Each structure stands twice: as C-alpha cells, then as structure tokens.
Amino acid sequence: MADHGEEQLLQRALELARQAFGLASPNPYVGAVIAGADGNVVGTGIYTYTGRKHAEILALEAAGEKARGGTLYINLEPHAHQGRTPPCTDALIAAGIHRVVASMADPNPKVSGRGFQQLRAAGVQVEVGQLEEQARQLNEAFARYIRQGMPFVTLKAAMTLDGKIAPPPAEALAGAEGTPAGGWVTSEIARAHVQEQRHQNDALLVGAGTILSDNPLLTDRSGRPRRRPLLRVILDSRLRLPLDSRLVESAIKDQKSDVLVFCSSADPAKKSQFERLGIRIETLPAAEADGRPDLGAILRRLAELEITSVMIEGGAAVNWAALASNLVDKVFLYYAPKILAGTGSIPFAAGTGFRHMSQAAQVKNVHLHRFGEDFAVEGYLRDPYGE
Ligand SMILES: NC(=O)c1ccc[n+]([C@@H]2O[C@H](COP(=O)([O-])OP(=O)(O)OC[C@H]3O[C@@H](n4cnc5c(N)ncnc54)[C@H](OP(=O)(O)O)[C@@H]3O)[C@@H](O)[C@H]2O)c1
C-alpha cells in the first residue's frame, strides 16, 4: 500500500488510539477507522478498558450498513478469540468488510497472526506493516507486559549537561514547597512533557532518598482522565517515609490506595500505622547484597497487579539499581543547558557503575527531542518485543 490517502487514514487510527492514554491499560491502545466502498470515512472507534467494546466494533456500529464493501484501518491486528468480548474478526466478516489495513500483528505470541488468518480465510484482503514503527512504539508497554509478564520500564531523569541531577544535598538552598530541594533542573516546558509521560504510565517509582530530600507529590498533573490512579511506588526498606511528607498527606486525604511502599525490614508498629492511614505496604525479602528489596521482585509484583508500565524517577541510588538490574527498557533523559560541577553534586546514577566501556549500558534507536532550550535523549536498552 503506497496510497497517501490510505496512510492518512491509518495515521488517523493511530491518533485515535493515542486518545486512550490512561484509559486502556492493561490492554493495548487501539484506534479504528472504517472507510466505506466510496472511500469516505463512515465510522471510527477507540478502545477503552471501561468501555469494553473494541475499537473496530465501535467503528462498525458507527458505520452501520455503510461498512459493507468498506476498508478497516487499524493499528493492531483484530482479535479472533473469545476474550472479555467476542472475536472481532467474526463481526468484521459479518459486516461485509472487504479489506483490512493493519499496522502490526498482535504482540501476544499466543494469538499473533490468528486474526489475519481468519480474515483471509473468509476472503477479506489483509495488508500489514504500514506505519509499523509508530504502531510498535505505541504499544511497547503492552508488548513487554504480555510477552514477558513484566512492566515496561522507562528510566527518566532531568540533569545538567555534566550529568548531575541535583546540587550537594547539605548545601542545597531551601526552595519553595513543591520544588526539589536544590531547585528545578529543567524548564517548565520539559516538565510539562514529564506530566504527559506520567499520564502514559501505570506507575511511578522512586527511592526513599528522593522523598526525604525533595518531598515530591508524584502525581499525574496532565489534567487528562485516567481509569486507575497513577500508582506511586516507593522503595523504602526500613520505612523512613515521613508521615508529614506531601506524598503521605495526599494519600491520606484522597484515600485512593495509590501509594505502595516496598520494604524489607520495617518496624511492624510503623507498618500498621501507615496501613491504617490507607498506605499500602508490602514486605519483600531483603537482597543479600544490600538488605533492600530486589528490583526484579518488585517489578514482578507490580505486573501481578496489572501494572504494565513503570517510570522510574530516581534518585541516584535507585537509578543505578535499575541500570544494574538490566530491567530498564527505555531511557528518557532530559538535559538543561546548565553545568553544576563539583564532586558533591548528585550524579545521574550512583553505585559502583560499570567498570569498563565494553560493559556500559548501550542505548539503541536514539531519538532527540527539543523542549525550548532543554533537550531529551530517548533510547532503548532492551527490545520490548524481544524474547
Ligand atoms: N533531577 C532528577 O531527575 C531527580 C529525580 C529524583 C531525585 N533527584 C535527586 O536525587 C537525590 C536523591 O538520590 P538518592 O540516591 O539519595 O535517593 P533515591 O535513589 O531516591 O533513594 C535511595 C534509597 O532508596 C532505598 N532503597 C530501597 N530499595 C532500594 C533498591 N533496591 N535500590 C536502591 N535503593 C533502594 C534506600 O534506602 P533504604 O536502604 O533505607 O531502603 C536508598 O537509600 C536528591 O538530591 C534528589 O533531588 C533528582
């Protein structure tokens, strides 16, 4: 398919799918457009978890009889199996859809290709692969979750050009409430983009050190709707989390059960005090090396809770633990044109670090983004579609 008009219709399906950020997880983002036999758009659909009905079914319903002889443009393969809803392929065939133009196959290896197979067997023309790169990126979290049973992990940080995420803690000048102890690294437009990223994730994860130094709220302030609240995950072996932190106070006020603390050796009395206030606490075995809960075990637990994506927002100790665990899928590193210098400033990742250039984490498929004077590097440490 090289038709420019057709590519636009597929692009529209992708845009519709993106409107479901915050509303589809733990299922994939899907947008559908049906063009009637005369080429005009006769129906569109967006999948949301609460709405249940798949995008192609909503598009068929909107199109009615005009779907007959038409073409479906969709970012993901229609499913041929009975899930929460009946197979979409049956409905497409019954409605007389003549062609299906899809960007990619279902990333779930258990069902991948079956939808296309069933459509072809019924005489429907099927074309796959147009705008595939965009479509694969859109559902990278779903792919990682459904293929490996792990959340897709983005490691995000804001730093100076010399790789510092904060000034020396002891010397940091106190800032206004709601700002990090040492001041914001990046500008407002970069920080607004972080809110968009939070919106696209099911959970955020930080270490106790960041709570103690910056007193952050860690909420999704994109202003867009989401089905489940953004889960705020704190790594805090000994429950040092202050009761009067903004995070705890907001959790008590909102009672949304959206703060989950992982500890390993917490005082039982403090634990039950937090739990009475509505803070979820889970105890995991302490890793032998450092007495802290293991990041792999934490991520597996989050997957059990149907968390498909996690954005790690530091600080330095947690960033290193994430890199060392080899469980980071993507980095999204924001840089401000500033130089902090000084040996006491906080580096992006602390710990032992990798000992040789040949062992350094290799970032692939790199993209650069501009945010006014700031910029960001986005790239992959592993392939969410890999084995
Ligand atoms: N610019 C940015 O993007 C950004 C973002 C966040 C933070 N920061 C800065 O980073 C600094 C804080 O960094 P930090 O290194 O002190 O704190 P951190 O990485 O946020 O938290 C580290 C603490 O988390 C706990 N922890 C529990 N399980 C862990 C595990 N598996 N691996 C690692 N840590 C685990 C440990 O305390 P226990 O041993 O008591 O459990 C550890 O001391 C602050 O200056 C803050 O401003 C900057």
Side-chain angles (χ1 to χ4, degrees), residues 157-158 165-166 185 207-210 213-214 235-238 240 292-293 313-318 321 346:
I165 59 170
V185 181
T210 295
S213 72
D214 294 349
L235 307 194
D236 186 8
S237 321
R238 297 162 284 160
R240 293 187 287 150
R292 293 167 174 163
E313 294 206 36
V318 164
I346 310 290

Side-chain angles (χ1 to χ4, degrees), residues 21 79 154 307:
F21 285 157
H79 79 146
T154 303
I307 296 295

Side-chain angles (χ1 to χ4, degrees), residues 166-187:
E171 293 150 40
L173 302 168
E177 185 177 287
T179 65
W184 291 116
V185 181
T186 47
S187 63

Side-chain angles (χ1 to χ4, degrees), residues 152-219:
F152 180 84
V153 176
T154 303
L155 178 56
K156 170 257 154 188
M159 58 187 120
T160 58
L161 290 181
D162 53 336
K164 309 292 188 189
I165 59 170
E171 293 150 40
L173 302 168
E177 185 177 287
T179 65
W184 291 116
V185 181
T186 47
S187 63
E188 239 168 78
I189 58 173
R191 294 195 325 260
H193 187 257
V194 172
Q195 292 299 328
E196 295 299 324
Q197 295 230 61
R198 285 184 178 180
H199 184 64
Q200 291 172 36
N201 276 273
D202 291 341
L204 286 190
L205 184 151
V206 305
T210 295
I211 304 292
L212 292 168
S213 72
D214 294 349
N215 198 12
L217 209 45
L218 302 174
T219 46

